[in-house]
Amino acid sequence: MSQIPQETIQQVLAATDIVDLIGSYVQLRRAGSGFKGLCPFHNEKSPSFNVTPSRQSFHCFGCGKGGDAIAFIREYENLPFTDAVRKLAGRVGVPVIEVESDPQADQARRLRGRLLDLMRETTAYIHELLLTSPDAQHARDYLKSRGFGRDMAERWSIGWMPDNLRWYTDWARERKFTGRELVGSGMAYLKDENDPRSGIGIRFRNRLMFPIRNDIGDVVGFSGRQLVEDKRSGKYVNSPETPLFKKSNILFALDRAKKPILHEKAALLCEGQIDVISCHEHGIEQAIAAQGTAVTSQHARLLKRYTKSVVLCFDADSAGFTAAEKSFRELIMEGIAVRVIELPGGDDPDSFLKAHGAEAFRGLIANAREFFDFKIDRATASGAMSHAESRAAIARECAALLAVMSDTATREIQMNHLASRLQMGISAIKEVTVTALKQPQRREHPTEASTSPTAVPTPVDRTVGLLCQLALSSAEVQRLLSEQYETLHEAGEFLAGIPLLERILAGHPDPAAPAAVNAFLGHLQEEDRLALNTLLHADRPHEDPVAASYETMSMLAAKVLLQRDARNKALLNDPGLSRERLTFLLEEGKEIQRLLDGVKGRFIVEDILPPAPKKPVAKKEWKKRDK
């Protein structure tokens, strides 16, 4: 639960113009009293994304996403609720003062703060060791052998974890950090995972330490480079997944590269930290790297905030090519264009820069090939294009990648280009692409968020939904429905969505203040929020909400009676009924019928009584009727 007061959230929402906010991310055009545009959350040709100024909310009729300004920032920027509120608050100048309202949330916040303190102070400690300790001379020599000096180490806060691990544990103890915090940060591990009292071991030993920062510059993990060969351990050891460090969300050096990426209108995605650092040291500051070569959907979404173009620069071997293809798949699903640099054999960005300089490397970036050209050129060089059968196999591989493209116009262009490159007819390319499009698409590297089921709106009966809509649009309707609370509660046995309506009546958000309504919606479960947001955008506001509520309550009563009648008739079919039970059910049936007769004729709603089947009318009868 958020620890930001409800009043502050309402102030933030009241001070935010949702049209201005969303218009800074999405191109909007006026449509009646609202605005429309192409949805930023799914790919579409015709705009189904609506922004309603009077409600200060948005809704997409294509993918179902919607909500207030906070919901938009949460979804678009992939931020937690409180971070989204803070971002908006900073935008509109509303101060945010958090309150202690949830012990668990407070504990998690304090733990995160302690872990960030530990990582920050660890970075400073091991950096000082690298610069000054006599025992770190071999680490300084290694950096020198790679062409890096003290200045680079200081700019990137490079450190050295000593071989004698007592140095680090004694330092941590002096700083009042606990063993549990060391384990929680990933700097240490339990010697026996099943026994918290087994003692801890330090994860890094005699390694050159590269701090890994999130996109706002906090140190959240480390990558430790081996300095003395040890076959029992890898060349690089990275921090494990922790409350701070989720490798699927982190791009190395993004905190430094954000502005250069915006300026260059493209990101340079490399394989490792040394390559990225070398690029930055040579003035190519749009360089970043994933943790390993695996680009995830979260990485793609993160990059989409800053650019629509990525240049891949991986090693020129089979592993690098596989990584490039997987990265292309993730990036293109987010609508990011992908080009590829192919370095000379045996080179990586660091070695190429040292041998040929920054201008030559910029030339490689400028001449980077479109991904499909890179793929076909590589297949040609390996002899895989020499026969029609092998070209058809390449076509199927390309079609599988075309199928995940989010932009259909770009897909069409690429199909024509591939037909020319593969010496095949365009109809053949289209055929294999259409076949690939029919296959279910999946992410190569699912994240925690993407593997969990997508939230499904809470089922709400149409009539109950109309009452929810009316209650959120009129304080008088809220008062009237509150007086019918018992009737509504009993209807919950037959109609879906009554608990959601009861929640509205209990919270009584002020319909005259969109910020109050949106703040109320923001604190609901995701399923409930989606359901209400869809209802609020489904129909135009009623001119007379009170009259509509009386009419809708009558509809609700009729639906409940019909449900009771159907249940009663089903129970009467039970051959084992006692005489007393039979008599009771017959009397109840008469009462239900009497009540139904009272509501019939007051209104006609197909949602309550299904229309009678229409008898086909012959053309001759049409003429008679016309006369």
Side-chain angles (χ1 to χ4, degrees), residues 14 24 44 123 162 193 306 342 378 394 428 466 490 494 498 617:
S24 67
E44 59 180 6
T123 301
E193 291 185 1
Y306 307 105
E342 190 167 10
R378 193 173 187 277
I394 296 293
L466 184 53
E490 291 174 354
F494 301 98
I498 291 294
V617 181

Side-chain angles (χ1 to χ4, degrees), residues 278 282 347-358 360:
S278 186
H282 282 83
D347 262 333
D348 55 28
D350 178 47
S351 62
F352 185 91
L353 282 162
K354 287 181 171 63
H356 304 286

Side-chain angles (χ1 to χ4, degrees), residues 29-36 50-53 540:
R29 61 177 177 80
R30 182 169 284 282
S33 60
F35 293 82
K36 296 188 76 171
N50 292 260
V51 182
T52 308
R540 293 180 181 177

Side-chain angles (χ1 to χ4, degrees), residues 4 52 69 92 108 131 143 166 175 187 202 240 248 316 345 349 369 371 389 420 449 468 482 484 528 533 551 610:
I4 299 176
T52 308
V92 296
L131 297 183
L143 278 179
R166 285 291 300 275
R175 293 301 182 106
M187 295 303 297
I202 302 303
S248 61
R369 286 171 290 172
F371 176 79
E389 294 83 357
S420 173
C468 290
S482 296
Q484 300 293 322
D528 292 345
N533 191 65
E551 185 79 1

Side-chain angles (χ1 to χ4, degrees), residues 396-456:
R396 286 191 293 273
E397 291 177 13
C398 290
L401 296 171
L402 285 169
V404 302
M405 273 190 169
S406 57
D407 189 327
T408 53
T410 303
R411 184 192 299 137
E412 193 74 24
I413 293 169
Q414 289 292 348
M415 283 193 291
N416 283 286
H417 182 63
L418 284 171
S420 173
R421 289 297 315 269
L422 295 172
Q423 303 170 34
M424 298 175 68
I426 184 62
S427 58
I429 294 291
K430 286 186 176 181
E431 183 179 345
V432 291
T433 304
V434 168
T435 300
L437 281 166
K438 293 177 180 177
Q439 303 299 317
Q441 303 300 331
R442 62 182 181 83
R443 295 284 191 182
E444 289 294 332
H445 308 288
T447 63
E448 202 172 296
S450 63
T451 53
S452 60
T454 304
V456 177

Side-chain angles (χ1 to χ4, degrees), residues 498-509 520 524 528:
I498 291 294
L500 192 49
L501 177 57
E502 291 175 338
R503 205 162 293 132
I504 294 171
L505 300 179
H508 53 83
F520 167 76
L524 295 176
D528 292 345

